[in-house]
Amino acid sequence: MKSKPAVRILVTYHSQSGNTAQLAGAVARGVAETEGVTAIFKRAAATVAVDIRECDGLVICSPEYFGYMAGAIKDLFDRTYETLRDDFRMNKKPYALVICAGNDGTGALTQIERILKAYRVKKAQHPIICKGPVTEEIILRAVELGKTMAEGVKMGIF
């Protein structure tokens, strides 16, 4: 008898300073700590449409630059939208966001959420917005987001 494949959560990110990479890594650790769930951890520049189509849940982690998402995250959307826009497998796929903000994070959050509406995915959790330095508290919140996302997708809640 063939066993059911593990649930796959894609954690895709861009980071220049390393702060967003820390948060994305914490999310991926939380996902990986969940039995029966696999974390797929990829830089946005290496993420392709098939990664998004075949995952069961998606966590996008972006720094905020000049009140906007990272260009690499926007590039990810530009490269994948045409392939995924009419793909029924995208309907209501759960997602969560992590923003590492030098400002207040709302500009990046608003723009990412606006684009994700066109993908027809659904928000599964409130975003994490890290304002200022990455602290142990925010790392723990990112791990928890990963665990919650993994469990919620695994159980069919999201």
Side-chain angles (χ1 to χ4, degrees):
M1 180 178 226
K2 195 173 184 180
S3 64
K4 183 179 178 194
V7 169
R8 297 167 312 246
I9 305 294
L10 173 62
V11 180
T12 187
Y13 71 99
H14 175 74
S15 187
Q16 291 186 116
S17 69
N19 290 337
T20 307
Q22 277 186 287
L23 294 173
V27 171
R29 277 195 312 278
V31 169
E33 290 175 8
T34 306
E35 187 177 330
V37 181
T38 299
I40 301 160
F41 186 61
K42 294 184 98 169
R43 286 190 161 275
T47 302
V48 295
V50 71
D51 295 322
I52 298 171
R53 179 178 45 239
E54 297 193 0
C55 72
D56 300 298
L58 172 66
V59 181
I60 298 172
C61 305
S62 177
E64 178 188 57
Y65 296 133
F66 309 107
Y68 196 71
M69 72 186 91
I73 299 296
K74 177 63 168 66
D75 174 69
L76 171 63
F77 294 140
D78 290 344
R79 289 184 291 106
T80 61
Y81 178 70
E82 286 301 319
T83 301
L84 298 174
R85 70 185 217 166
D86 293 325
D87 193 320
F88 72 92
R89 291 168 284 198
M90 294 301 295
N91 288 342
K92 298 186 179 177
K93 184 177 297 236
Y95 79 86
L97 300 173
V98 176
I99 307 293
C100 195
N103 194 355
D104 66 5
T106 58
L109 177 65
T110 299
Q111 295 307 314
I112 293 171
E113 287 183 332
R114 181 174 291 151
I115 290 170
L116 287 173
K117 283 180 185 177
Y119 281 78
R120 297 174 328 282
V121 292
K122 69 175 180 177
K123 186 190 307 186
Q125 296 188 66
H126 292 292
I128 291 177
I129 298 179
C130 174
K131 299 175 190 171
V134 176
T135 63
E136 186 59 32
E137 178 186 341
I138 200 80
I139 292 288
L140 292 173
R141 285 183 55 207
V143 170
E144 192 61 33
L145 181 141
K147 287 179 181 179
T148 303
M149 189 73 169
E151 286 291 347
V153 171
K154 183 172 106 173
M155 296 173 74
I157 295 170
F158 299 139

Short mmCIF file of all heavy atoms in Angstrom, two decimals, residues 93-118:
data_model
loop_
_atom_site.label_atom_id
_atom_site.label_comp_id
_atom_site.label_asym_id
_atom_site.label_seq_id
_atom_site.Cartn_x
_atom_site.Cartn_y
_atom_site.Cartn_z
N LYS A 93 -4.94 27.86 -1.50
CA LYS A 93 -3.72 27.33 -0.89
C LYS A 93 -3.34 28.26 0.26
O LYS A 93 -3.32 29.49 0.08
CB LYS A 93 -2.60 27.28 -1.93
CG LYS A 93 -1.32 26.64 -1.41
CD LYS A 93 -0.27 26.55 -2.50
CE LYS A 93 -0.76 25.67 -3.61
NZ LYS A 93 0.08 24.56 -3.96
N PRO A 94 -3.08 27.75 1.44
CA PRO A 94 -2.80 28.62 2.58
C PRO A 94 -1.41 29.26 2.50
O PRO A 94 -0.45 28.64 2.05
CB PRO A 94 -2.90 27.68 3.77
CG PRO A 94 -2.66 26.33 3.23
CD PRO A 94 -3.14 26.34 1.81
N TYR A 95 -1.35 30.50 2.96
CA TYR A 95 -0.07 31.21 3.01
C TYR A 95 0.03 32.02 4.30
O TYR A 95 -0.96 32.32 4.96
CB TYR A 95 0.12 32.11 1.79
CG TYR A 95 -0.62 33.43 1.87
CD1 TYR A 95 -0.05 34.54 2.50
CD2 TYR A 95 -1.89 33.58 1.33
CE1 TYR A 95 -0.73 35.75 2.57
CE2 TYR A 95 -2.56 34.79 1.39
CZ TYR A 95 -1.97 35.87 2.02
OH TYR A 95 -2.64 37.06 2.10
N ALA A 96 1.28 32.36 4.61
CA ALA A 96 1.58 33.28 5.70
C ALA A 96 2.76 34.14 5.26
O ALA A 96 3.51 33.76 4.36
CB ALA A 96 1.92 32.52 6.98
N LEU A 97 2.90 35.30 5.90
CA LEU A 97 3.96 36.23 5.54
C LEU A 97 4.80 36.61 6.75
O LEU A 97 4.28 36.72 7.86
CB LEU A 97 3.36 37.52 4.96
CG LEU A 97 2.51 37.37 3.71
CD1 LEU A 97 1.86 38.70 3.34
CD2 LEU A 97 3.34 36.84 2.56
N VAL A 98 6.08 36.83 6.48
CA VAL A 98 7.01 37.36 7.47
C VAL A 98 7.72 38.53 6.80
O VAL A 98 8.30 38.38 5.73
CB VAL A 98 8.03 36.29 7.92
CG1 VAL A 98 9.05 36.89 8.89
CG2 VAL A 98 7.32 35.09 8.55
N ILE A 99 7.65 39.69 7.45
CA ILE A 99 8.27 40.90 6.92
C ILE A 99 9.31 41.37 7.93
O ILE A 99 9.02 41.50 9.12
CB ILE A 99 7.23 42.04 6.72
CG1 ILE A 99 6.03 41.59 5.89
CG2 ILE A 99 7.90 43.29 6.16
CD1 ILE A 99 6.30 41.28 4.46
N CYS A 100 10.50 41.62 7.45
CA CYS A 100 11.57 42.19 8.28
C CYS A 100 11.68 43.65 7.88
O CYS A 100 12.11 43.96 6.76
CB CYS A 100 12.87 41.43 8.05
SG CYS A 100 14.09 41.74 9.31
N ALA A 101 11.24 44.55 8.75
CA ALA A 101 11.03 45.93 8.36
C ALA A 101 12.02 46.89 9.00
O ALA A 101 12.25 46.84 10.20
CB ALA A 101 9.61 46.36 8.74
N GLY A 102 12.56 47.77 8.18
CA GLY A 102 13.31 48.89 8.70
C GLY A 102 12.37 50.04 9.02
O GLY A 102 12.65 50.89 9.84
N ASN A 103 11.21 50.04 8.37
CA ASN A 103 10.19 51.05 8.58
C ASN A 103 9.11 50.40 9.44
O ASN A 103 9.42 49.85 10.48
CB ASN A 103 9.66 51.51 7.21
CG ASN A 103 8.86 52.77 7.27
OD1 ASN A 103 8.58 53.30 8.32
ND2 ASN A 103 8.47 53.27 6.11
N ASP A 104 7.86 50.41 8.99
CA ASP A 104 6.80 49.77 9.78
C ASP A 104 6.28 48.48 9.16
O ASP A 104 5.45 47.81 9.74
CB ASP A 104 5.65 50.74 10.05
CG ASP A 104 4.90 51.16 8.80
OD1 ASP A 104 5.19 50.64 7.71
OD2 ASP A 104 4.00 52.01 8.92
N GLY A 105 6.73 48.14 7.96
CA GLY A 105 6.35 46.89 7.32
C GLY A 105 5.03 46.90 6.58
O GLY A 105 4.75 45.98 5.82
N THR A 106 4.23 47.94 6.79
CA THR A 106 2.89 47.90 6.20
C THR A 106 2.89 48.03 4.68
O THR A 106 2.03 47.47 4.01
CB THR A 106 1.98 49.00 6.80
OG1 THR A 106 2.58 50.28 6.59
CG2 THR A 106 1.76 48.76 8.29
N GLY A 107 3.85 48.76 4.13
CA GLY A 107 3.92 48.90 2.67
C GLY A 107 4.20 47.57 2.00
O GLY A 107 3.50 47.18 1.06
N ALA A 108 5.20 46.86 2.49
CA ALA A 108 5.54 45.55 1.93
C ALA A 108 4.37 44.58 2.12
O ALA A 108 4.00 43.86 1.18
CB ALA A 108 6.79 45.00 2.59
N LEU A 109 3.79 44.58 3.30
CA LEU A 109 2.67 43.68 3.59
C LEU A 109 1.50 43.95 2.64
O LEU A 109 0.96 43.01 2.04
CB LEU A 109 2.23 43.86 5.04
CG LEU A 109 1.02 43.04 5.48
CD1 LEU A 109 1.33 41.56 5.43
CD2 LEU A 109 0.59 43.47 6.87
N THR A 110 1.13 45.20 2.48
CA THR A 110 0.01 45.56 1.62
C THR A 110 0.25 45.12 0.18
O THR A 110 -0.64 44.54 -0.46
CB THR A 110 -0.24 47.08 1.67
OG1 THR A 110 -0.56 47.44 3.01
CG2 THR A 110 -1.36 47.50 0.73
N GLN A 111 1.44 45.37 -0.33
CA GLN A 111 1.72 45.03 -1.72
C GLN A 111 1.78 43.52 -1.95
O GLN A 111 1.26 43.02 -2.95
CB GLN A 111 3.02 45.70 -2.17
CG GLN A 111 2.94 47.21 -2.18
CD GLN A 111 1.76 47.73 -2.97
OE1 GLN A 111 1.50 47.28 -4.08
NE2 GLN A 111 1.04 48.69 -2.41
N ILE A 112 2.38 42.78 -1.03
CA ILE A 112 2.43 41.31 -1.18
C ILE A 112 1.02 40.74 -1.13
O ILE A 112 0.65 39.90 -1.95
CB ILE A 112 3.35 40.68 -0.12
CG1 ILE A 112 4.81 41.08 -0.38
CG2 ILE A 112 3.21 39.15 -0.14
CD1 ILE A 112 5.77 40.69 0.74
N GLU A 113 0.23 41.18 -0.17
CA GLU A 113 -1.14 40.67 -0.06
C GLU A 113 -1.97 41.02 -1.29
O GLU A 113 -2.78 40.21 -1.74
CB GLU A 113 -1.81 41.18 1.22
CG GLU A 113 -1.27 40.50 2.46
CD GLU A 113 -1.96 40.93 3.73
OE1 GLU A 113 -2.47 42.07 3.82
OE2 GLU A 113 -1.97 40.11 4.67
N ARG A 114 -1.76 42.18 -1.85
CA ARG A 114 -2.49 42.58 -3.06
C ARG A 114 -2.15 41.64 -4.21
O ARG A 114 -3.04 41.19 -4.94
CB ARG A 114 -2.14 44.02 -3.43
CG ARG A 114 -2.88 44.51 -4.67
CD ARG A 114 -2.62 45.97 -4.94
NE ARG A 114 -3.26 46.75 -3.88
CZ ARG A 114 -2.84 47.93 -3.46
NH1 ARG A 114 -1.78 48.48 -3.99
NH2 ARG A 114 -3.49 48.57 -2.51
N ILE A 115 -0.89 41.32 -4.38
CA ILE A 115 -0.47 40.40 -5.44
C ILE A 115 -1.00 39.00 -5.19
O ILE A 115 -1.48 38.33 -6.11
CB ILE A 115 1.06 40.41 -5.59
CG1 ILE A 115 1.51 41.75 -6.18
CG2 ILE A 115 1.54 39.24 -6.44
CD1 ILE A 115 3.01 41.98 -6.16
N LEU A 116 -0.96 38.55 -3.94
CA LEU A 116 -1.41 37.19 -3.64
C LEU A 116 -2.90 36.99 -3.89
O LEU A 116 -3.32 35.86 -4.15
CB LEU A 116 -1.03 36.81 -2.20
CG LEU A 116 0.46 36.54 -1.99
CD1 LEU A 116 0.76 36.33 -0.52
CD2 LEU A 116 0.93 35.35 -2.82
N LYS A 117 -3.69 38.05 -3.85
CA LYS A 117 -5.11 37.91 -4.20
C LYS A 117 -5.26 37.37 -5.62
O LYS A 117 -6.16 36.57 -5.90
CB LYS A 117 -5.83 39.26 -4.09
CG LYS A 117 -6.14 39.65 -2.68
CD LYS A 117 -6.86 40.98 -2.64
CE LYS A 117 -7.06 41.41 -1.20
NZ LYS A 117 -7.70 42.72 -1.11
N ALA A 118 -4.40 37.79 -6.52
CA ALA A 118 -4.47 37.33 -7.90
C ALA A 118 -4.10 35.85 -8.03
O ALA A 118 -4.51 35.19 -8.98
CB ALA A 118 -3.54 38.18 -8.78
#
